[in-house]
Amino acid sequence: MSEKNQPNAIYGGQAVIEGVMFAGQKVNVTAVRRKDNSIHYLEVPRKEIGWVQTLKKIPLIRGIVGIVEASAKGAQHLNFSAEVFAEEEGVVKEEKKESLTGKISMILGVAVVGILSFLFGKFVFTLVPPTIEQMLFGSLFENQIGHNLIEGLIKIILLVGYIYFISLTPMIKRLFQYHGAEHKVISAYEAGLELTVQNVQKFSTLHYRCGSSFIVFTVIVGVVIYSFFQYDSFLERIIQRIVLLPLVIGVSYEVLRFTNSLRDIPVLRFLGYPGLWLQLLTTKEPDDSQVEVSIASFNRMRELDRQI
């Protein structure tokens, strides 16, 4: 089978500040556009660590390993993007090192929250929703499954509200536009089309293999898993949620893999819809310039994958 007919060889990428990173089989590439319209690349070969690769083959554990690996990988590429962005603002390292450090720290402070929002947000959403639910509905009824369902609903409301409000800021809006461009490029590639701006722009910004789907599934899976465990006090409920968090993450990853495998079966495609609905917030329509950067990153990644 030709490379062109193996779309699953490419597992996707992620948006970074004013650019896009794509992860290939052998190399990760970030493309960032400068103000002079030139495109600069950060090319990082993927180093396979034996014990990590072993863990990534174990169901339930591989989801947690994947999150940690993606966070470490994303931080490195965000740093490159942030440095380019800071230099474009006219900050010179030799003359204003302290100012540059402050600029990058500020940018990374926003960007890392975007990439690590799952890790931070999941911990916060593990503690806050049951607290709110207990305050509002704790004394109304005894059915713990009902309390779990209300807790899940509160999580969804907080999640959607959080993403909506941060998407109103110019920087996050552009980040979501690059996220949309990344999805469009992957869809065009999977369709076997030549990667031109015109072809890529025809596709939707939504894609089944996206971290947004992962976040939604953790909420849904959490409600189901929590229903198998009883608690006698609010404190026990909170401790239970924290202890079960790794299991929720691991099962959610397996559910995401399962729904991805069914996305071409018309009757079962709906299983992936919750993640697609959330992507209506986490992706925005990109302009042609952003699509060009995404195509450049993807093509460079494929070129290096063939060479290494």
Side-chain angles (χ1 to χ4, degrees), residues 86-152:
E87 290 172 5
E88 289 295 291
E89 292 297 309
V91 183
V92 182
K93 285 185 178 181
E94 292 75 14
E95 297 179 358
K96 298 182 179 180
K97 184 177 181 180
E98 183 177 348
S99 178
L100 175 60
T101 301
K103 189 86 171 178
I104 293 176
S105 297
M106 179 192 70
I107 296 170
L108 283 177
V110 176
V112 170
V113 166
I115 297 299
L116 302 182
S117 61
F118 173 80
L119 296 177
F120 174 75
K122 186 57 185 172
F123 181 74
V124 172
F125 293 154
T126 298
L127 301 179
V128 175
T131 302
I132 296 176
E133 197 280 332
Q134 181 70 24
M135 293 173 59
L136 297 178
F137 305 100
S139 60
L140 294 183
F141 55 91
E142 297 296 329
N143 189 308
Q144 291 189 356
I145 293 180
H147 285 295
N148 291 338
L149 290 172
I150 295 175
E151 177 186 335

Side-chain angles (χ1 to χ4, degrees), residues 5 13 20-21 30 34 46 64 125 153 254 258 299 302:
N5 293 322
V20 173
M21 183 198 76
T30 293
R34 292 184 178 273
R46 300 185 66 168
I64 300 173
F125 293 154
L153 179 61
E254 300 305 322
F258 178 69
N299 284 339
R302 291 185 62 209

Side-chain angles (χ1 to χ4, degrees), residues 237-254:
R237 180 181 184 182
I238 292 297
I239 294 175
Q240 185 185 96
R241 298 298 189 263
I242 296 174
V243 171
L244 291 174
L245 184 56
L247 178 62
V248 171
I249 293 174
V251 174
S252 299
Y253 180 79
E254 300 305 322

Side-chain angles (χ1 to χ4, degrees), residues 134-247:
Q134 181 70 24
M135 293 173 59
L136 297 178
F137 305 100
S139 60
L140 294 183
F141 55 91
E142 297 296 329
N143 189 308
Q144 291 189 356
I145 293 180
H147 285 295
N148 291 338
L149 290 172
I150 295 175
E151 177 186 335
L153 179 61
I154 293 174
K155 286 182 180 180
I156 291 292
I157 292 173
L158 291 177
L159 175 65
V160 171
Y162 166 73
I163 294 176
Y164 171 75
F165 283 110
I166 67 170
S167 71
L168 299 179
T169 65
M171 180 176 290
I172 299 300
K173 180 179 179 180
R174 287 191 64 79
L175 189 71
F176 287 174
Q177 285 179 303
Y178 275 108
H179 190 190
E182 171 244 319
H183 283 182
K184 282 172 174 276
V185 168
I186 293 176
S187 295
Y189 172 75
E190 291 177 335
L193 297 181
E194 180 184 359
L195 295 184
T196 65
V197 173
Q198 183 177 6
N199 285 342
V200 169
Q201 286 285 33
K202 296 176 183 178
F203 288 87
S204 169
T205 61
L206 311 183
H207 197 281
Y208 269 78
R209 290 198 311 274
C210 177
S212 301
S213 301
F214 195 9
I215 296 173
V216 172
F217 282 129
T218 61
V219 177
I220 299 174
V221 169
V223 171
V224 176
I225 291 179
Y226 297 153
S227 298
F228 288 96
F229 297 86
Q230 299 294 310
Y231 52 84
D232 296 322
S233 67
F234 176 67
L235 179 60
E236 185 177 338
R237 180 181 184 182
I238 292 297
I239 294 175
Q240 185 185 96
R241 298 298 189 263
I242 296 174
V243 171
L244 291 174
L245 184 56
L247 178 62

